[in-house]
Amino acid sequence: MSAVLVAGLAVMAPSGAAAAPTAASPADRAAAKLAEMTLEEKVGQLFVTEVYGGDANTPDQRNVDSYGVATPAEVVQKYHLGGVIYFAWSNPTNELKQIATLSNGLQKAALEDGPEVPLLVGTDQEGGLVSRMGPPFTAMPGNMALGANGKTADTRASAKVIGKELKALGVNQNYAPDADVNVNPLNPVIGVRSFSSDPQLAAKLTTAAVRGYEHDAKISATPKHFPGHGDTETDSHTGIPEIDHSRQEWDELDRPPFEAAVKAGVDSIMTAHIVVPALDPSEDPATLSKPILTGILREELGYDGVVITDSLRMDGVREKYGDEEIPLRALEAGVDQLLMPYDMDLAYNSVLDAVKSGRITEERIDQSVQRILELKYAKGIADDPYVDPDKVDKLVGTPSHQATAKRVTDRSVTVVANENDALPLAKKSRDVLVTGYGAATTTDVAKEFTKRGANASALETGAEPTDAQIDEAVAKAKANDLTVVLTMNASDLKDTDPDGKQRQLVKSLLATGKPVIVVAVRNPYDIAYFPEAPTYVSTYSYSPVMAPSLARVLFGEVSPKGKLPVSIPSAEDPDTTLYPLGHGLTW
C-alpha cells in the first residue's frame, strides 16, 4: 500500500497503482477500483452481516459456529465483506470506546484484504424503541415522539446528534429513519417507530432526519421499509405481511416519505419483506420484487442510490423461497446490499455460482458494487476510515447533546386527557405510587417525583401483570394520595399482553376512586381500552430521556406542546375517532 493525495486527502492505493487524478469523482474512483477487483471480491461487497465480539482479533466461538473462522477480522477477510452491522447481542454496544476500537480493527482487516476497500459499518439507532447503543450514548425519544413534537428543526437536530455520536464510534451507516406511515393502530412492528399516520408530516420529518444524518453528521441515512410497512397486523420477523392498499392508496399514503427521501438525495434505502399485490401481482415480498424495487423505486422515483434488504433471516422473506434462492432474487429485483443472510457460506457461494452459470451477469454485480463503492468514496470512508477511540468520551453524550435530547423530548410529551384539571401538579409533600410497565422506567419516574417533594415508591408490574401484582398495586394505590400507572401497548392482545392484564390493572386502579394518571410509554392508542381514564399522557417512549421530560410536563415546569401524530380510534368502533391527529392539551 502506498499513500497518495486525492483532493487534498491522504488515501491508500495498492502498491504499484497509479495515483488517482486530483479531481477524480467518487464515480470515477469507484469505477477504477471496480476494474481491479476479482469476482469473489465484488460478490463480497454485496454482503453485510454481524461479527461476534468486542475486538477484531479476539476469537469468539460464535464466529466459528456461524462462519468457520474465529475472529471478526477473519470473517471480514473470508468473505471480502462490504459491511458489518452492530447489535447489543453481538458486540458490547454500551462499551463505546471498545466499539470504536473494534471499528478500527475491522477496517484494518478490510484494507489488508484483497480488494483493499473499507467497510460500511451500520447499526439500527432509530432512537426510542430501537436503540442499539446504550449509555453514555445520548438517548433520543424516537420517531413518533418527534412526530408529536412536529418541528423539523428538532428532528434534524436529533438525527445530527445520533449521527455524530455514531460516527465517533466508526459507524458510518445508520439504518434510520423509519419512513413508514403508521395508519394501523394494531401494527405489531412499526407503531412508535413511525413519525406519523399523516404521510405529509412523515415525509417532512423523513427529509429532516436524512439531512441531519447526511448533511450535518456526514453519515449515511437509510429510510425504511420500502414500499411501506405502516398498515399491517403481521410482523415481518415472523410472517409475511400483506398490504391491501390500492395503487392510489399507496401513492397517497406510503409513497410520500420515500419520495421525499429520494429528492433529498438519500444514500441508501432499506426494503420491506411485505407483499403488496397492487404493486406486484406475483405476491413476492418487496425485497424480491423487480416491479417494486426496479420498476417503482428506481424507475418511477428515479432513485439510483444503494438499496439494502432488511435482514434476510426474517420469516417474511424466507417463507416463499429457500436461503440459496433469496439473495439471487433480491439481486435480480434491484437490491445492492444483502443484509444478514441466514447462512453466509450458502448465500455467498450461491451468488458466485449464479454468475458463473450465467443466471446473473457480472455486469449486474458491477452495477451494485459501483453504487456501494461510490457511497464509500462520496462519504469519505475510503479516505479516512479510522476513528480516535480516545476522543469518544469527548464526542458522545456531551452536555450539548444531552441538552438537545431534553429540548426535543420536552416538546413531544402529549397531554391527551385532563378532565379533572389534575394537571399540572403542585410540588408538595404527598404519597405517590408509580406502577405499571418497566422496572427502570417506574423507578426513574418515582425518582422524579421524589425530587419534587413527594414520597414516591415504584412497583413494577410488567407488560403482563399477574392477579397478585394487580391486587398489590390496588392495595398500595388506596394507601397513597396519587397513582401514576405506566402502560406499554395495552392495546396489543396478540403479542404484548394476550390476557389484557394491563387493561385490568388500569381499570382496577381507577375503581379505587383515588387520583390516577395514566401514561402510555409506547404506542399512544392505549386509552381506547380504558376511555374512562380522566388523565392520560403519551410519551411514545420509555427511553431514559423520557422520565425527566414527563415530570417537567406533569409539574408544569414546561408547558405541554406535544400533539398526537396519529388519531386514536375507539376500540369498540374503529370508525369512530376518540382523539384526532393533532390533538393535544396545554396550559
Side-chain angles (χ1 to χ4, degrees), residues 144-485:
M144 194 168 282
L146 294 167
N149 171 306
K151 294 182 177 294
T152 55
D154 280 354
T155 294
R156 182 166 179 168
S158 175
K160 179 181 178 181
V161 166
I162 293 172
K164 280 186 171 293
E165 295 195 356
L166 288 177
K167 189 172 184 179
L169 306 179
V171 177
N172 47 47
Q173 184 176 24
N174 193 14
Y175 303 131
D178 190 303
D180 301 311
V181 180
N182 199 81
V183 294
N184 189 334
L186 298 179
N187 194 321
V189 67
I190 304 302
V192 292
R193 297 171 65 192
S194 164
F195 286 115
S196 177
S197 62
D198 176 357
Q200 298 310 315
L201 177 59
K204 182 174 70 171
L205 298 184
T206 295
T207 298
V210 167
R211 288 175 175 157
Y213 288 123
E214 297 194 348
H215 295 270
D216 301 337
K218 309 300 184 186
I219 72 166
S220 293
T222 311
K224 56 190 181 185
H225 309 78
F226 187 84
H229 207 316
D231 190 7
T232 172
E233 292 184 24
T234 301
D235 184 344
S236 53
H237 291 83
T238 57
I240 302 180
E242 183 167 322
I243 308 293
D244 62 3
H245 291 176
S246 67
R247 175 57 200 251
Q248 181 180 349
E249 287 172 325
W250 181 83
D251 282 332
E252 293 173 353
L253 290 173
D254 302 291
R255 174 176 179 151
F258 294 101
E259 187 167 32
V262 171
K263 289 180 179 178
V266 72
D267 287 338
S268 56
I269 288 176
M270 181 177 284
T271 68
H273 306 324
I274 58 173
V275 169
V276 191
L279 304 185
D280 182 355
S282 77
E283 300 194 1
D284 277 343
T287 297
L288 310 181
S289 169
K290 188 170 183 177
I292 292 175
L293 298 186
T294 296
I296 296 177
L297 181 56
R298 295 238 187 256
E299 295 174 359
E300 284 190 33
L301 299 187
Y303 181 64
D304 194 36
V306 171
V307 173
I308 182 170
T309 70
D310 205 342
S311 169
L312 296 181
R313 296 178 196 170
M314 294 164 60
D315 287 348
V317 76
R318 296 183 68 222
E319 283 193 4
K320 192 171 181 181
Y321 300 104
D323 293 314
E324 186 175 7
E325 181 72 8
I326 288 167
L328 307 184
R329 288 182 176 263
L331 291 169
E332 289 169 338
V335 159
D336 301 306
Q337 287 185 302
L338 300 159
L339 180 64
M340 298 174 65
Y342 185 79
D343 183 325
M344 185 65 200
D345 272 345
L346 180 67
Y348 178 79
N349 287 306
S350 178
V351 176
L352 278 178
D353 291 344
V355 177
K356 293 174 181 177
S357 72
R359 173 175 171 178
I360 296 177
T361 67
E362 190 163 355
E363 288 75 19
R364 170 66 193 89
I365 301 299
D366 288 352
Q367 288 177 351
S368 287
V369 177
Q370 174 74 21
R371 291 189 187 104
I372 293 165
L373 293 177
E374 276 190 46
L375 175 56
K376 292 178 178 183
Y377 284 113
K379 272 290 178 287
I381 302 166
D383 300 324
D384 188 16
Y386 300 113
V387 294
D388 186 348
D390 291 331
K391 290 185 178 179
V392 168
D393 292 341
K394 298 177 182 178
L395 298 173
V396 173
T398 65
S400 65
H401 289 181
Q402 297 293 344
T404 297
K406 173 184 174 182
R407 181 184 73 249
V408 166
T409 309
D410 281 356
R411 293 173 178 168
S412 71
V413 177
T414 306
V415 178
V416 177
N418 189 27
E419 292 178 10
N420 299 332
D421 292 327
L423 302 177
L425 298 170
K427 293 180 183 178
K428 65 178 184 180
S429 176
R430 56 159 72 91
D431 294 327
V432 178
L433 171 67
V434 181
T435 190
Y437 178 76
T441 310
T442 52
T443 299
D444 287 348
V445 173
K447 287 179 179 177
E448 294 296 331
F449 271 80
T450 299
K451 289 178 185 177
R452 291 160 175 85
N455 176 28
S457 60
L459 173 64
E460 193 255 346
T461 58
E464 299 178 78
T466 64
D467 289 339
Q469 287 174 319
I470 292 172
D471 289 344
E472 183 180 4
V474 167
K476 290 191 173 184
K478 290 178 179 178
N480 278 273
D481 303 311
L482 171 68
T483 296
V484 179
V485 56

Side-chain angles (χ1 to χ4, degrees), residues 543-580:
S543 166
V545 74
M546 178 277 291
S549 287
L550 171 66
R552 284 190 285 272
V553 169
L554 294 182
F555 283 92
E557 295 163 17
V558 298
S559 297
K561 293 182 172 63
K563 305 295 181 185
L564 285 174
V566 296
S567 60
I568 299 178
S570 165
E572 296 181 357
D573 179 11
D575 293 329
T576 299
T577 299
L578 290 181
Y579 297 97

Side-chain angles (χ1 to χ4, degrees), residues 56-174:
N57 298 301
T58 299
D60 189 304
Q61 183 61 39
R62 294 173 294 176
N63 291 316
V64 178
D65 295 341
S66 298
Y67 309 115
V69 293
T71 68
E74 290 173 306
V75 177
V76 169
Q77 293 180 335
K78 176 178 179 178
Y79 302 106
H80 315 293
L81 285 180
V84 296
I85 179 173
Y86 290 158
F87 291 97
W89 47 263
S90 60
N91 312 103
T93 54
N94 62 336
E95 298 291 340
L96 303 188
K97 186 173 181 178
Q98 188 172 0
I99 284 291
T101 302
L102 173 63
S103 298
N104 285 346
L106 295 176
Q107 294 290 12
K108 184 174 185 288
L111 291 168
E112 289 176 347
D113 187 30
E116 299 175 323
V117 175
L119 296 162
L120 286 169
V121 180
T123 196
D124 298 277
Q125 192 74 14
E126 298 174 15
L129 177 65
V130 179
S131 298
R132 308 302 187 203
M133 301 295 170
F137 201 97
T138 300
M140 287 293 178
N143 273 14
M144 194 168 282
L146 294 167
N149 171 306
K151 294 182 177 294
T152 55
D154 280 354
T155 294
R156 182 166 179 168
S158 175
K160 179 181 178 181
V161 166
I162 293 172
K164 280 186 171 293
E165 295 195 356
L166 288 177
K167 189 172 184 179
L169 306 179
V171 177
N172 47 47
Q173 184 176 24
N174 193 14

